[in-house]
């Protein structure tokens, strides 16, 4: 059946991109009450009120025997046409249950990202084992790359509201890995060597544990709908990680109120935290997951980066780990700045 025009009732739930028809080969069967429609991007509207949409051309096969509407589903967001954040969030709301394909799709994405996490740690274990990298540098590079690659993987998950739980499962598995090895219930030498300073398994229960907890928190609370989680992880991974590497290397001039931190380290945190945050937000913008006013976003990220850098420079590491103070401070300041 080819539709040329259609009046949408107010109970229609979501619009999927007409352009996705070309990309998607999967079929979902939905109950009659769910009316999911494809519409060309220029017709996407945020509010699900009655409105008349003229469709260019689309094909929906209608299974009259069950009075169900069989339609093509939307692809993963990277293949979809960029849409506004509110359209993206509102257009794929499955009112009841989750299509089986979505479970399989997000389950596959989870397995792939889990594999990436294991491969990353194994790679740095091999580099440390071969004395290509020292343990300290290996730890910091794992610190920088794990979180940023995790952030970079979020767009491969689907648009369903459950996708964030699939993504958060990855740091959760690594949390269990850190607990089991940190409590010496198991001994993954590769993990211990590439993630600890001196090879003491108990170290896994501090910095690395807090780190994966922050990854879970940002995935569950902020996900792709808000720049806050993205900036918080960019500051923790890109900012704090580089501050350590460059601060140890060039940090001869110490900060007056904290002799363990240096101007070089803090300036590195500010610059790289800012650049990595903007870079990640741009990546999400290109992926069609965020539409940002860049003039205000750049200034907001600059303010957030400065505050996070000041927090990181404070002599409070013995009280609260940087992997907690930096992301939480970033979340607090970003929540304020991005809402005004
Ligand atoms: N603003 C900063 C931050 C770090 N450093 C250097 O990097 C080292 C480690 O920094 P820190 O962030 O405290 O590392 P930790 O978080 O304690 O180490 P890890 O992440 O490995 O637990 C510091 O001793 C210092 O030599 C610095 O000079 N200036
Ligand atoms: C050394 C670390 C923190 C101390 O400051 C980082 C610990 C990293 C974890 C052991 C592994 C975390 C993996 C991520 C949850 C997922 C990465 C996926 C990506 C595709 C590689």
């Amino acid at each position: 059946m080819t539709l040329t025009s259609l009046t949408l009732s107010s109970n229609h739930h979501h619009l999927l991109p007409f352009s996705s028809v070309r990309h998607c080969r999967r079929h979902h069967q939905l109950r009659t009450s769910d009316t999911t429609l494809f519409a060309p991007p220029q017709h996407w509207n945020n509010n699900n009120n009655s409105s008349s949409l003229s469709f260019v051309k689309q094909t929906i096969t209608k299974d009259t025997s069950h009075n169900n509407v069989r339609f093509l589903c939307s692809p993963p967001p990277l293949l979809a046409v960029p849409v506004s954040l509110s359209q993206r969030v509102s257009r794929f709301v499955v009112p009841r249950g989750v299509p089986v394909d979505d479970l399989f799709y997000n389950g596959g994405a989870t397995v792939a990202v889990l594999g990436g996490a294991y491969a990353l740690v194994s790679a740095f274990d091999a580099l440390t084992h071969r004395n290509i990298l020292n343990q300290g540098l290996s730890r910091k590079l794992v610190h920088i790359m794990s979180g940023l690659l995790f952030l970079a993987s979020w767009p491969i998950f689907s648009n369903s509201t459950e996708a964030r739980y699939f993504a958060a499962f990855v740091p959760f598995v690594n949390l269990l890995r850190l607990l089991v090895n940190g409590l010496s219930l198991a001994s993954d030498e590769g993990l211990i060597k590439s993630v600890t300073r001196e090879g003491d398994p108990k170290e896994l229960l501090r910095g690395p544990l807090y780190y994966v907890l922050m990854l879970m928190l940002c995935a569950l609370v902020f996900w792709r709908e808000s720049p806050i989680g993205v900036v918080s992880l960019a500051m923790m991974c890109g900012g704090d990680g580089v501050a350590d590497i460059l601060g140890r290397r060039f940090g001869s001039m110490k900060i007056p109120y904290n002799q363990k931190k240096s101007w070089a380290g803090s300036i590195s945190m500010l610059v790289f935290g800012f650049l990595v945050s903007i870079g990640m937000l741009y990546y999400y913008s290109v992926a069609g997951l965020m539409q940002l006013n860049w003039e205000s976003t750049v200034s907001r990220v600059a303010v957030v980066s400065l505050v996070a850098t000041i927090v990181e420079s404070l002599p409070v590491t013995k009280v609260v780990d940087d992997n907690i103070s930096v992301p939480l401070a970033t979340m607090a300041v970003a929540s304020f700045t991005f809402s005004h």
Side-chain angles (χ1 to χ4, degrees):
M1 173 177 75
T2 301
L3 294 178
T4 53
S5 70
L6 194 64
T7 300
L8 298 180
S9 63
S10 59
N11 70 348
H12 95 275
H13 295 295
H14 43 275
L15 287 176
L16 300 177
F18 175 75
S19 60
S20 67
V21 173
R22 292 190 303 277
H23 297 291
C24 205
R25 293 285 174 270
R26 293 172 296 161
H27 288 260
H28 288 290
Q29 187 125 6
L30 283 181
R31 288 168 297 288
T32 312
S33 61
D34 298 311
T35 307
T36 296
L37 306 157
F38 291 103
Q42 62 271 26
H43 289 294
W44 294 348
N45 60 3
N46 291 340
N47 49 357
N48 288 341
N49 301 321
S50 287
S51 61
S52 169
L53 287 175
S54 63
F55 288 94
V56 175
K57 183 178 183 328
Q58 62 180 336
T59 303
I60 297 181
T61 57
K62 188 172 177 60
D63 177 352
T64 50
S65 59
H66 304 292
N67 193 27
N68 281 345
V69 175
R70 200 184 273 276
F71 65 96
L72 295 171
C73 59
S74 80
L78 274 179
L79 299 176
V81 173
V83 292
S84 74
L85 179 59
S86 57
Q87 282 171 326
R88 173 170 287 295
V89 172
S90 63
R91 73 178 168 80
F92 198 95
V93 176
V94 181
R96 287 186 299 280
V98 177
V100 172
D101 279 17
D102 200 70
L103 293 174
F104 281 120
Y105 179 81
N106 283 317
T110 300
V111 169
V113 180
L114 274 172
Y118 188 80
L120 181 77
V121 172
S122 302
F124 278 94
D125 171 44
L127 292 170
T128 310
H129 203 70
R130 289 174 172 76
N131 295 318
I132 297 170
L133 281 179
N134 68 50
Q135 206 161 327
L137 182 57
S138 163
R139 182 178 197 275
K140 273 307 153 184
L141 290 176
V142 172
H143 174 107
I144 292 169
M145 294 178 67
S146 297
L148 295 185
L149 289 173
F150 180 56
L151 267 180
S153 74
W154 287 5
I156 70 171
F157 292 88
S158 82
N159 277 337
S160 70
T161 47
E162 291 70 28
R164 70 181 70 199
Y165 303 110
F166 284 91
F169 186 70
V170 176
F172 176 69
V173 168
N174 282 275
L175 176 80
L176 298 178
R177 214 177 153 202
L178 291 168
L179 282 172
V180 164
N181 285 277
L183 297 171
S184 300
L185 301 175
S187 181
D188 180 342
E189 287 306 321
L191 178 70
I192 294 167
K193 278 201 73 156
S194 56
V195 167
T196 63
R197 287 198 206 86
E198 283 95 32
D200 177 2
K202 290 189 181 62
E203 276 188 62
L204 297 177
L205 303 177
R206 291 191 295 274
L209 193 70
Y210 307 142
Y211 180 96
V212 294
L213 281 170
M214 285 301 146
L215 296 183
M216 283 180 70
L217 178 70
C218 287
L220 293 173
V221 172
F222 300 105
W223 190 224
R224 308 179 312 206
E225 284 111 34
S226 161
I228 296 168
V230 172
V231 175
S232 299
L233 295 184
M235 291 309 298
M236 180 179 77
C237 304
D240 186 33
V242 174
D244 185 313
I245 294 172
L246 297 183
R248 288 176 195 268
R249 179 79 177 72
F250 303 108
S252 53
M253 288 177 65
K254 300 301 182 186
I255 291 175
Y257 53 83
N258 185 355
Q259 291 304 302
K260 288 187 175 177
K261 301 284 174 82
S262 66
W263 287 109
S266 292
I267 291 168
S268 303
M269 165 109 182
L270 177 63
V271 172
F272 284 90
F274 173 78
L275 293 176
V276 172
S277 296
I278 293 294
M280 268 296 163
L281 290 177
Y282 180 72
Y283 168 73
Y284 272 68
S285 169
V286 168
L289 293 169
M290 286 183 190
Q291 278 204 334
L292 299 161
N293 174 323
W294 284 105
E295 194 175 327
S296 60
T297 298
V298 168
S299 54
R300 285 167 173 162
V301 171
V303 169
V304 170
S305 303
L306 180 61
V307 174
T309 299
I310 293 170
V311 169
E312 192 274 343
S313 71
L314 299 174
V316 294
T317 309
K318 292 201 185 313
V319 177
V320 59
D321 192 281
D322 287 351
N323 289 349
I324 295 174
S325 60
V326 168
L328 289 187
T330 306
M331 287 177 210
V333 177
S335 298
F336 179 77
T337 52
F338 277 92
S339 61
H340 288 77

